[in-house]
Amino acid sequence: LGAINTTLYPTWESYFAILLEQPTEHFLIQSGGLQMRDYELDINPASICTRLISIREQIAEEFANDLGVLAHTMGQHTMDSYYDLMEDIGLQKTKDRNNNGRRLPPHNLVFLGYALDPIDGF
């Protein structure tokens, strides 16, 4: 949770800048059993930083695409449903003045598989 501390890390890239300056650390993992050998583990902060930023970029692209899909498909669907409902209520009121408790229909969330601008050929 230290990365959330805005005093230590005032901007989103502050943590990564500090991580890039860290040296590679070597660890020796010793096994107590005869079945497993001891092994060395190298942790390279620069490599971890690169991978984290790559993941961040991928999530941002997917999120932006999902927002576009929401704005395009669901925005139009919601407005169409609203206008249909208003028309139905208007027709119903002329037939029966007491029936106004109808709600908007639930939305189908399968639309998230839809892509406005295909990413990576999808």
Side-chain angles (χ1 to χ4, degrees), residues 18 31 50 65 85 96 98 110:
I18 293 170
S31 172
T50 303
N65 187 54
L85 176 63
D96 183 287
N98 296 326
V110 179

Side-chain angles (χ1 to χ4, degrees), residues 24-120:
T24 300
E25 294 194 32
H26 306 282
F27 294 94
L28 176 63
I29 311 298
Q30 295 179 340
S31 172
L34 299 173
Q35 301 293 331
M36 299 179 69
R37 301 182 301 153
D38 296 346
Y39 63 95
E40 292 184 17
L41 177 65
D42 294 333
I43 297 180
N44 183 355
S47 175
I48 293 171
C49 182
T50 303
R51 292 175 9 210
L52 286 173
I53 290 177
S54 174
I55 292 167
R56 177 188 172 275
E57 181 180 355
Q58 181 181 359
I59 290 171
E61 286 176 1
E62 291 176 8
F63 185 61
N65 187 54
D66 289 347
L67 288 177
V69 169
L70 282 172
H72 184 263
T73 60
M74 291 307 293
Q76 187 61 42
H77 178 70
T78 300
M79 293 309 295
D80 288 345
S81 296
Y82 173 76
Y83 292 134
D84 290 345
L85 176 63
M86 291 298 108
E87 184 179 323
D88 289 349
I89 288 175
L91 293 174
Q92 295 254 344
K93 281 186 179 181
T94 58
K95 293 179 184 176
D96 183 287
R97 294 275 180 196
N98 296 326
N99 187 8
N100 61 359
R102 192 161 170 226
R103 297 182 183 177
L104 288 171
H107 298 296
N108 183 355
L109 297 180
V110 179
F111 68 90
L112 287 176
Y114 175 78
L116 291 175
D117 294 320
I119 296 174
D120 299 326

